Amino acid sequence: MDNLLIKSARIFFPNTPFHGKELDVLVKKGVITKIAGQIKEDVTNLDVFDAKGQYLVPGFFDMNVNFGEPGLETKEDIVSGCAAALAGGVTGVAVHPNTHPPVHSRSEVALIVNRSRPLPVDVHPIGTISKKRQGEELAELYDMKLTGAIAFCDGDKPVQQAGLMSRALLYSKGFDGLIISCPEDASVAAGGKMNEGVTSTYLGMKGNPNLAEALMVARDLYLAEYNDAPIHFTTISTAESVELIRKAKAKGIKVTCDVAAHHLVMTDDLIAGFDSNYKVSPPLRTQTDIRALRKGLKDGTIDAIVSQHTPHEIEYKNVEYQIAAEGIIGLQTLLPLALQAGLTVDQLVDKLAMGPRRVLGIPLPEFQEQALANFILLDTELKWQFDSQTNRSKSSNSPLMGKELKGKVTLAVNKRQIINTQ
């Protein structure tokens, strides 16, 4: 599909003269060659896509994704992960270093960069903060940055040593590196299997309190302020975290944050059925937390929405809830969950496409003639079944598997490649 004519798409590209208008778009070999009210082109091998009622928006960027490569390719490799991303309208990802070995040196960074180069998704590795993700000694941050690491995080292992986190913030500031905090105080969380509250008490299950997250957010905000360094919090899930970050932003601290899509719609009472596909980290919280998170999105406290895509083989999930692995796949359900949370198309563009790129310092997609195309078409009303036929991931650990979802991406264009995702 080298030449594509998109008919009657409603354009949602902020800060362009085309925003909010219904237009035709001609793409030739990955380049936007014409944007007009009506385009009649005599081009050989021209594919026409009727986008009436659909929105043309920048390709989404997911800044919290887990692929298994290197070492855990049976969960997800870069190729299958990118296929799932495209099906969800995600044309760019930042992959966390939860691999084996972890992404803690230039070798692993280079492997991911090179393996993903021909794929139609922009894949940006996140390097570890500490060697082997052990939280004891700084990894070679600058070396990884030169090789292509977009930011630094110990993945799903929160940095417990305040001194190490402080040194990481200070050191990375010298070369414009970004430290990402996965906020949880392990001594307070103490191995809790779900949110601490009414439901955990009812089920007799050890809980992980909001306090575990809020304490770590407070600590890292102090460290960021002390070192005058930027910090990003990933997958915040509590009302307390939102309020702490809101106040820190008002104070002028260089802080950004994101929220996982499932934390905007799912609550801890869903765990009453002991379905291990609801077991995530941080755990599903309460309706009070959901209201605070949605408010944080609207007032700008929360900068981005992520999928926290975490694939697992069936043997890690099809077991008792207590011993099941944490995490769900989420790339293809990112849009439906965001719509379920009540986001408008403008908010979708801001939180799923523009916000993540601004946080990471990545150039925003352009929408003008002669620009390289990076956009998707989405239908907010289209209903579809998420099942083994439509799932593009190697794994199937999602509580939404087998359910009808509303909102689907129908086309993705990036890196001179055009992919029909219907």
Side-chain angles (χ1 to χ4, degrees), residues 68-72 97-105 108 128 132-133:
E69 198 167 354
L72 301 173
N98 300 314
T99 52
H100 185 73
V103 185
H104 63 164
S105 73
E108 295 84 22
T128 63
K132 298 182 181 179
R133 294 198 302 145

Side-chain angles (χ1 to χ4, degrees), residues 4-285:
L4 176 69
L5 176 58
I6 298 169
K7 301 288 291 183
S8 306
R10 191 164 180 197
I11 313 298
F12 267 69
F13 255 85
N15 305 317
T16 71
F18 311 107
H19 185 64
K21 298 179 180 178
E22 189 175 290
L23 300 168
D24 291 358
V25 181
L26 181 63
V27 179
K28 293 181 180 179
K29 296 186 177 179
V31 176
I32 302 169
T33 56
K34 195 170 183 180
I35 306 168
Q38 277 198 331
I39 299 175
K40 293 181 180 179
E41 282 284 327
D42 183 20
V43 181
T44 55
N45 301 321
L46 177 66
D47 290 287
V48 179
F49 192 101
D50 183 7
K52 187 72 175 177
Q54 299 187 35
Y55 298 92
L56 189 154
V57 305
F60 295 157
F61 192 101
D62 193 338
M63 57 185 299
N64 188 326
V65 168
N66 292 286
F67 294 163
E69 198 167 354
L72 301 173
E73 289 86 356
T74 52
K75 296 179 185 290
E76 193 89 278
D77 57 38
I78 292 170
V79 173
S80 65
C82 286
L86 283 173
V90 178
T91 62
V93 295
V95 288
H96 277 238
N98 300 314
T99 52
H100 185 73
V103 185
H104 63 164
S105 73
R106 64 186 303 166
S107 300
E108 295 84 22
V109 173
L111 182 146
I112 294 171
V113 169
N114 293 331
R115 285 275 287 137
S116 63
R117 187 167 283 123
L119 301 174
V121 176
D122 301 304
V123 179
H124 300 270
I126 294 176
T128 63
I129 292 172
S130 66
K131 289 183 178 179
K132 298 182 181 179
R133 294 198 302 145
Q134 292 176 344
E136 297 172 357
E137 184 181 354
L138 271 185
E140 296 291 344
L141 307 188
Y142 184 58
D143 211 22
M144 288 190 284
K145 170 85 170 181
L146 292 178
T147 313
I150 195 72
F152 306 97
C153 177
D154 269 358
D156 57 7
K157 288 188 177 179
V159 177
Q160 300 301 311
Q161 287 189 22
L164 180 69
M165 178 60 87
S166 184
R167 289 190 294 276
L169 287 164
L170 182 61
Y171 178 51
S172 62
K173 182 176 76 166
F175 56 86
D176 293 325
L178 176 66
I179 297 296
I180 298 177
S181 171
C182 177
E184 181 181 271
D185 187 312
S187 64
V188 178
K193 303 300 181 182
M194 65 174 293
N195 179 59
E196 181 182 272
V198 173
T199 306
S200 67
T201 304
Y202 167 72
L203 296 175
M205 197 178 297
K206 187 171 178 58
N208 179 340
N210 286 22
L211 179 64
E213 179 176 298
L215 276 176
M216 192 63 88
V217 169
R219 185 203 77 174
D220 288 350
L221 284 172
Y222 275 119
L223 293 175
E225 183 180 24
Y226 178 79
N227 290 290
D228 190 27
I231 191 166
H232 178 83
F233 292 98
T234 190
T235 61
I236 64 166
S237 65
T238 69
E240 293 87 345
S241 296
V242 175
E243 187 58 27
L244 284 165
I245 293 168
R246 182 181 288 119
K247 288 179 178 177
K249 284 192 170 188
K251 193 177 178 181
I253 297 173
K254 301 168 185 173
V255 57
T256 52
C257 64
D258 65 57
V259 60
H262 47 265
H263 281 122
L264 296 172
V265 296
M266 299 178 186
T267 55
D268 60 351
D269 56 3
L270 292 167
I271 293 166
F274 295 104
D275 182 350
S276 63
N277 282 322
Y278 287 110
K279 188 177 184 182
V280 292
S281 178
L284 299 178
R285 303 291 186 181

Side-chain angles (χ1 to χ4, degrees), residues 384-410:
W384 59 288
Q385 196 83 6
F386 185 41
D387 54 28
S388 59
Q389 298 299 311
T390 55
N391 179 31
R392 296 292 174 262
S393 171
K394 278 189 175 184
S395 300
S396 58
N397 52 304
S398 169
L400 301 176
M401 192 63 64
K403 296 185 178 180
E404 185 181 74
L405 305 178
K406 184 180 178 183
K408 193 173 193 314
V409 172
T410 57

Side-chain angles (χ1 to χ4, degrees), residues 225-365:
E225 183 180 24
Y226 178 79
N227 290 290
D228 190 27
I231 191 166
H232 178 83
F233 292 98
T234 190
T235 61
I236 64 166
S237 65
T238 69
E240 293 87 345
S241 296
V242 175
E243 187 58 27
L244 284 165
I245 293 168
R246 182 181 288 119
K247 288 179 178 177
K249 284 192 170 188
K251 193 177 178 181
I253 297 173
K254 301 168 185 173
V255 57
T256 52
C257 64
D258 65 57
V259 60
H262 47 265
H263 281 122
L264 296 172
V265 296
M266 299 178 186
T267 55
D268 60 351
D269 56 3
L270 292 167
I271 293 166
F274 295 104
D275 182 350
S276 63
N277 282 322
Y278 287 110
K279 188 177 184 182
V280 292
S281 178
L284 299 178
R285 303 291 186 181
T286 66
Q287 201 63 51
T288 300
D289 296 302
I290 284 180
R291 283 193 294 269
L293 292 167
R294 291 184 181 182
K295 183 182 177 184
L297 281 171
K298 289 178 181 177
D299 67 19
T301 301
I302 300 175
D303 302 86
I305 299 173
V306 300
S307 70
Q308 201 186 19
H309 180 80
T310 308
H312 288 298
E313 302 93 334
I314 189 169
E315 59 265 28
Y316 285 85
K317 278 292 189 177
N318 193 19
V319 292
E320 294 87 348
Y321 183 92
Q322 293 274 15
I323 61 173
E326 295 168 327
I328 59 177
I329 57 171
L331 280 163
Q332 288 180 247
T333 57
L334 188 55
L335 173 62
L337 288 177
L339 288 170
Q340 190 180 335
L343 271 73
T344 64
V345 178
D346 274 321
Q347 289 170 331
L348 289 174
V349 171
D350 185 44
K351 304 303 181 183
L352 291 172
M354 301 303 198
R357 290 182 172 94
R358 281 194 291 262
V359 169
L360 294 171
I362 295 170
L364 302 179

